[in-house]
Amino acid sequence: MKKFVVLGGGYGGLSLVNELLEKNLSNDIQITLIDRMPFQGLKTEYYALAAGTVSDLELRVKFPVDPRLQLTYGEVTDVDMDAKLIHLEGQDPISYDWMAIALGCTDRFHGIEGAEQYATSIQTFSAARHTYQLLNDTKPYGQVTIVGGGLSGVEVAAELRESRSDLNIRIIDRGPSIMSAFPGKLQTFVASWFNEHHVEMLGNVSLNKLEQGALYDQRSGDTIYTDVTVWTAGIQPVPLVQRMNLPKDNQGRLIINEHHQLPSHPEVFIVGDCASLPFSPSGQAAGAQGKQVAEVMHAIWNDRTPRLSRIQLKGVLGSLGKKSGFGLMGSTALMGRVPRLIKSGVLWKSKRHFG
């Protein structure tokens, strides 16, 4: 029996598993999916879970039930690529013939003292639940500070405003403005929404230290007081990948070949946030990669040469509460209700496709 083991049931890992199962598999192929949870969490919507506008039940997608798929639950602690063994906490190692590492990312704290200790996160289901508890236990007129003015920070701030009209909400960024990676018209639109909904925006803030209830800006020397701090200021591959002594890009992501394989270990595929790709990490990119890895494996199993086209992303969509949003499709900027409706449709489709 030949084993293909997928580490992580997120957008990339689950896309890979579903694509493998949708085509005929030889009877001597066994697929194993390893995840610490018994379902996929829709990570692009964790901002809403944290804000309290959806329940976690709405963001769960069941893993497929198929006689060709074995589900294993646990925490992956190490991978021995020479021995082809996967080590799990408190369990016997699992062997593999092929493996896909699709374990996602964790927060990047940029070496800022106290950031990991005193800020809360939305990077995992568990972290988003904890953030929900902190935010929704905050007393009326309390102060919430969101560090990071990119897509995640903007969505958290907007959704929280819709959830808690009584709170004081601010979003800070080390750049001159929020949404700095997006075109000017989108930056202006989001800033206008925040002004209208009384969300404070602070740019050019260079944090060097966090404490309980306080953030320190080394650029101005100011102390920023807060009741809860939500961290959305960057990501990096999971610690397992960080520890790997293999070629990486300047973001710490593993270098892969045109078939998404490690050049030194072609039986190992890297999918999603751990892979060095020519675009920013996203659920969309991970899902596209997962489908292509399945194409590669079906080609290998059928003695064909894999032929992959270049991954084409459809664009970016963001929410400003439940009634407004923004998007970028190629060079076309979308603003208002239409991109929010499109995003809702994408979520509906992904839940039903995966489920």
Side-chain angles (χ1 to χ4, degrees):
M1 182 71 71
K2 297 177 181 178
K3 298 180 180 179
F4 189 106
V5 182
V6 180
L7 308 186
Y11 290 101
L14 191 52
S15 171
L16 167 56
V17 168
N18 279 328
E19 198 72 14
L20 288 173
L21 294 175
E22 283 179 6
K23 297 180 181 179
N24 291 328
L25 287 176
S26 171
N27 291 332
D28 65 345
I29 301 294
Q30 180 188 58
I31 302 170
T32 299
L33 174 62
I34 300 176
D35 200 279
R36 56 188 167 198
M37 302 297 290
F39 51 80
Q40 182 207 14
L42 294 175
K43 188 173 182 178
T44 58
E45 304 300 308
Y46 284 178
Y47 70 90
L49 174 60
T53 57
V54 301
S55 71
D56 67 3
L57 183 61
E58 294 178 68
L59 302 186
R60 299 180 198 172
V61 175
K62 293 180 180 179
F63 290 140
V65 176
D66 192 290
R68 299 166 295 174
L69 174 66
Q70 177 179 328
L71 298 173
T72 298
Y73 304 120
E75 189 78 32
V76 178
T77 58
D78 198 11
V79 172
D80 185 338
M81 294 185 192
D82 294 325
K84 293 187 177 181
L85 288 175
I86 299 158
H87 295 275
L88 301 175
E89 184 177 335
Q91 301 183 47
D92 292 335
I94 293 176
S95 63
Y96 66 88
D97 295 289
W98 299 276
M99 173 179 63
I101 298 176
L103 291 170
C105 63
T106 187
D107 290 292
R108 184 187 291 273
F109 294 104
H110 308 284
I112 298 172
E113 181 184 349
E116 186 171 5
Q117 182 178 359
Y118 295 110
T120 188
S121 169
I122 60 167
Q123 282 303 324
T124 66
F125 221 129
S126 178
R129 285 182 179 129
H130 179 63
T131 299
Y132 161 77
Q133 182 178 2
L134 291 175
L135 291 175
N136 288 279
D137 283 349
T138 302
K139 294 179 179 179
Y141 311 110
Q143 178 67 62
V144 174
T145 302
I146 297 157
V147 180
L151 178 61
S152 294
V154 163
E155 291 191 309
V156 170
E159 199 77 8
L160 184 60
R161 168 51 73 226
E162 192 162 279
S163 173
R164 291 285 304 270
S165 61
D166 59 291
L167 292 178
N168 295 301
I169 303 171
R170 75 163 66 94
I171 183 167
I172 67 175
D173 198 89
R174 60 184 174 183
S177 66
I178 61 171
M179 300 284 289
S180 58
F182 287 78
K185 62 169 64 176
L186 283 183
Q187 294 181 39
T188 301
F189 175 75
V190 173
S192 176
W193 193 95
F194 278 162
N195 283 324
E196 181 183 347
H197 291 82
H198 309 292
V199 175
E200 181 185 7
M201 294 167 284
L202 294 178
N204 294 314
V205 176
S206 181
L207 297 177
N208 65 329
K209 184 179 180 181
L210 273 67
E211 292 180 346
Q212 184 64 46
L215 297 76
Y216 298 93
D217 180 5
Q218 65 179 353
R219 185 173 296 170
S220 67
D222 293 339
T223 300
I224 302 171
Y225 295 100
T226 186
D227 293 303
V228 178
T229 301
V230 183
W231 194 268
T232 62
I235 60 172
Q236 60 185 338
V238 293
L240 175 72
V241 170
Q242 293 178 37
R243 296 194 300 268
M244 291 181 177
N245 186 24
L246 292 168
K248 298 173 183 175
D249 63 15
N250 58 9
Q251 300 296 314
R253 301 177 300 182
L254 290 164
I255 303 294
I256 54 177
N257 65 18
E258 70 274 16
H259 293 141
H260 312 294
Q261 300 159 305
L262 287 176
S264 59
H265 295 275
E267 73 282 358
V268 177
F269 298 85
I270 310 299
V271 177
D273 300 342
C274 297
S276 181
L277 298 173
F279 26 71
S280 298
S282 68
Q284 183 183 171
Q289 239 195 316
K291 290 182 179 181
Q292 289 202 342
V293 171
E295 289 182 41
V296 172
M297 286 312 307
H298 280 296
I300 290 173
W301 289 331
N302 290 284
D303 296 319
R304 293 186 284 104
T305 301
R307 299 185 184 279
L308 301 179
S309 57
R310 189 167 65 91
I311 290 176
Q312 302 266 351
L313 300 185
K314 296 178 180 178
V316 179
L317 293 167
S319 298
L320 293 172
K322 293 290 188 285
K323 296 180 180 179
S324 186
F326 54 91
L328 192 61
M329 302 296 177
S331 59
T332 302
L334 304 175
M335 294 165 283
R337 191 162 181 80
V338 169
R340 186 64 184 92
L341 290 171
I342 295 173
K343 189 177 186 215
S344 296
V346 170
L347 175 63
W348 183 90
K349 184 178 179 180
S350 66
K351 287 175 70 173
R352 278 141 190 85
H353 174 71
F354 285 142

